[in-house]
Amino acid sequence: MRLPRIVKTEDGSLTYFNEEFDQIYHSKSGAIEESFKKYVEPCNITDGMTIVDYCFGLGYNALAAMAVCDNLTVYALEIDAKLMANLEELTFTELIGYEPHIKNRLERFFVEMAQKLKQHIDTGETEFTFTVGTSIMHMLIGDAVETLTKVPAEAVDAIFWDPFSPKPHPELWTQCEFKKAYTVLKKGGI
């Protein structure tokens, strides 16, 4: 399998460019920065929350949340198992602008997450659970439109909605799909 081309972003984090969709997985200003600024901070993620990472990709959004919070429960929805099974080439050694303890947790948790993903995916599993730090991750591999139905109703504090743009995946940006996502949110969920 040929992986997408690696792109170094301005905060020193690495991401991929997906040639099939002609899109980068994260903002060029910073892949990790995007995870904090678009998801973790606006959703006011705190210890013990339950999150759906819709279109998990490289796992950076869940990773950023786990770097600053403990005891999270993450439902990760992703279709591209091959991508997730080959994350070991990505590193966080050149991150700039992050406190040392956050950088350390990002690096450590990413390695832990990448190893566990590879281990499960290499055995052909499409639904599995593992821990990263103090958090629990429920991995659901398949089309997000379908795997979202496996998330318990009214159990989620926040949804990190992160598919590619509507052009390559219009089915992920429909009113119907947003309504379906709404059913997994707790009252007051984001």
Side-chain angles (χ1 to χ4, degrees), residues 40 90 107:
V40 176
L90 300 177
E107 289 177 287

Side-chain angles (χ1 to χ4, degrees), residues 70-84:
D70 290 313
N71 303 311
L72 298 175
T73 300
V74 178
Y75 289 90
L77 315 180
E78 177 57 46
I79 197 167
D80 194 347
K82 290 178 185 175
L83 177 71
M84 292 185 300

